[in-house]
Amino acid sequence: GPFYGLAMGNFPSGQGGICVECSARVVAVMNTKNRLGRVDGRYPHWVDAYDDEGGEDLERYSLIYYETGNSFVKPGPAIFSIPDC
């Protein structure tokens, strides 16, 4: 079902978000750096790439909150808010 994802680390802003397939031809990228994003984990999803152009040792950590104890939640949209472009 739905989960909340939060990314932390010294990777560049605007990169390393959660990518979610909203449909066969549409992938949304949710910016989760230092903020929560709500995604339905039943849709294919992955972490977007982030650049290491400066030769730094970049780190990215994810904190995921999800619920396992309640009853079934009917699948809804892949993402729950419109991402900033």
Side-chain angles (χ1 to χ4, degrees), residues 3-83:
F3 70 82
Y4 292 90
L6 168 71
M8 299 164 283
N10 63 349
F11 62 96
S13 295
Q15 298 180 18
I18 300 174
C19 297
V20 185
E21 284 187 15
C22 297
S23 69
R25 297 177 188 230
V26 176
V27 174
V29 180
M30 178 85 55
N31 182 0
T32 56
K33 183 168 184 179
N34 300 321
R35 65 180 88 180
L36 287 171
R38 186 174 179 208
V39 173
D40 191 329
R42 293 171 285 195
Y43 290 87
H45 59 280
W46 61 94
V47 173
D48 198 13
Y50 48 93
D51 292 331
D52 185 10
E53 294 179 8
E56 299 177 43
D57 289 330
L58 298 181
E59 295 180 332
R60 184 190 181 282
Y61 299 94
S62 296
L63 186 59
I64 306 297
Y65 297 95
Y66 57 94
E67 187 172 341
T68 60
N70 277 344
S71 59
F72 176 76
V73 175
K74 182 179 176 182
I79 58 174
F80 294 89
S81 65
I82 304 301

